[in-house]
Amino acid sequence: MQIGAHVSAAGGTFKAIARAEEIGAECFQIFASSPRMWSSKPIPEKVAEKYKSEMQRAGMGPTVLHGKYLIALGSPDDELVAKSETALQADVAAANALGALGVIFHPASHRGQGFEAVVDKFAASVRKVLDSEPGDTLLMLETSAGAGDHIGSSFAELGTLIRAIGDDRVAVCLDTQHVWAAGYDITGADTLNATIDEFDKEIGLEFLRSVHANDSMRDLGSSVDRHENIGEGFIGNAGFATLLSHQAFKDIPFYLEVPGTNKSGPDRPNLDVLKKIRTQVGAG
Ligand SMILES: [Zn+2]
Ligand SMILES: [Zn+2]
């Protein structure tokens, strides 16, 4: 299990590598492009080559790219869906160029249409993106906290989407804060077992390919997406110890998206806390 974090790629994709090393991350997540703007720039081959050789030098684990927050494949607005497909396609192209593990994106909202009503269209959009960008990179649906009409706060919904898409490049990123907010108790050995069993039954554990490791500012079932530093929230150090000792996460890369001690994002103290827990439970 590698423990890393979301880092900034400002100033050039490969600059993220030094930032990750600086805080002791063993793997990292970046935005391939600005998450709140539609534009994306392709990664020049030279940059991709430099990136890959720097990654090797640093001995860094798998990179994941986080898709734009604007992506809304479940929207009734066809123009918005088309823009989302184009943006996601650019991210998948970037991930392929960088040799990244995959692109993580939010299933977002069905905008009042109901989940069942959007499944086929959503699946067709994802297939379109994957068909237009052949390669090894995964497209990972992130578990959602369940606010409003958001898709993917239940494993059943994610499983339904994954089966409808029917492509082996589709996978899931489990965000510990989001599943907690969605009502899945992951902090006790028995409740975690039940959660993992449900994941396996509804989705299939083989689809679990990455974890966002975040503590939670809000309590179980709040539906609120509010990340907290590791050990300072409702999941707590004991909760993460339970989580890290579970077999299901043995070979899964973890990426922190916590506020940070100085509110400047994931930092060394947070990574150190989680790494220490990993050592304590013998998962390293
Ligand atoms: Zn996310
Ligand atoms: Zn996340």
Side-chain angles (χ1 to χ4, degrees):
M1 172 194 302
Q2 282 151 315
I3 296 179
H6 184 94
V7 294
S8 164
T13 316
F14 56 85
K15 292 205 171 161
I17 303 168
R19 291 189 184 112
E21 285 186 296
E22 218 173 275
I23 58 171
E26 299 162 350
C27 52
F28 61 86
Q29 168 177 281
I30 51 173
F31 292 121
S33 53
S34 172
R36 297 180 204 281
M37 280 166 27
W38 281 115
S39 63
S40 304
K41 269 190 273 175
I43 304 220
E45 212 178 299
K46 258 191 175 162
V47 173
E49 289 314 316
K50 181 171 176 185
Y51 180 86
K52 284 188 271 194
S53 70
E54 270 294 286
M55 285 291 280
Q56 248 182 350
R57 179 202 57 75
M60 198 58 76
T63 303
V64 290
L65 306 186
H66 197 296
K68 294 178 185 296
Y69 295 134
L70 305 168
I71 288 168
L73 296 181
S75 169
D77 178 345
D78 287 339
E79 202 187 313
L80 183 56
V81 172
K83 275 178 161 173
S84 302
E85 289 168 355
T86 305
L88 211 43
Q89 193 184 325
D91 285 348
V92 173
N96 272 324
L98 298 174
L101 173 65
V103 174
I104 295 166
F105 76 105
H106 296 171
S109 170
H110 59 65
R111 311 256 173 138
Q113 301 178 94
F115 171 69
E116 293 300 333
V118 302
V119 170
D120 290 345
K121 235 179 109 190
F122 190 109
S125 286
V126 173
R127 275 198 302 272
K128 195 169 150 191
V129 169
L130 289 172
D131 290 346
S132 64
E133 290 297 335
D136 302 327
T137 241
L138 300 170
L139 199 45
M140 292 180 262
L141 283 79
E142 180 169 352
T143 56
S144 108
D149 291 332
H150 279 221
I151 300 166
S153 60
S154 75
F155 298 153
E157 284 188 359
L158 291 171
T160 300
L161 283 174
I162 281 175
R163 282 187 298 277
I165 296 161
D167 191 303
D168 57 13
R169 286 171 293 168
V170 172
V172 172
C173 170
L174 186 150
D175 187 309
T176 57
Q177 196 278 325
H178 297 177
V179 297
W180 172 260
Y184 292 107
D185 189 352
I186 47 175
T187 59
D190 291 346
T191 55
L192 178 63
N193 277 334
T195 297
I196 298 297
D197 284 351
E198 186 175 335
F199 189 104
D200 194 30
K201 181 177 145 253
E202 299 291 351
I203 303 172
L205 263 182
E206 66 276 21
F207 289 97
L208 175 64
R209 298 298 299 274
S210 60
V211 166
H212 282 164
N214 302 307
D215 211 325
S216 182
M217 277 189 196
R218 301 293 183 89
D219 209 348
L220 179 68
S222 70
S223 299
V224 178
D225 180 347
R226 289 279 183 282
H227 301 183
E228 180 54 285
N229 292 326
I230 304 293
E232 293 175 19
F234 282 92
I235 296 174
N237 285 342
F240 279 104
T242 306
L243 204 81
L244 264 59
S245 53
H246 199 288
Q247 277 292 105
F249 301 108
K250 199 166 66 82
D251 299 315
I252 308 294
F254 277 50
Y255 303 91
L256 273 70
E257 300 173 308
V258 295
T261 331
N262 301 319
K263 304 270 178 268
S264 52
D267 51 10
R268 188 176 280 276
N270 272 282
L271 280 160
D272 283 349
V273 171
L274 203 58
K275 285 181 185 171
K276 195 174 157 196
I277 294 172
R278 178 179 62 183
T279 307
Q280 281 164 355
V281 303

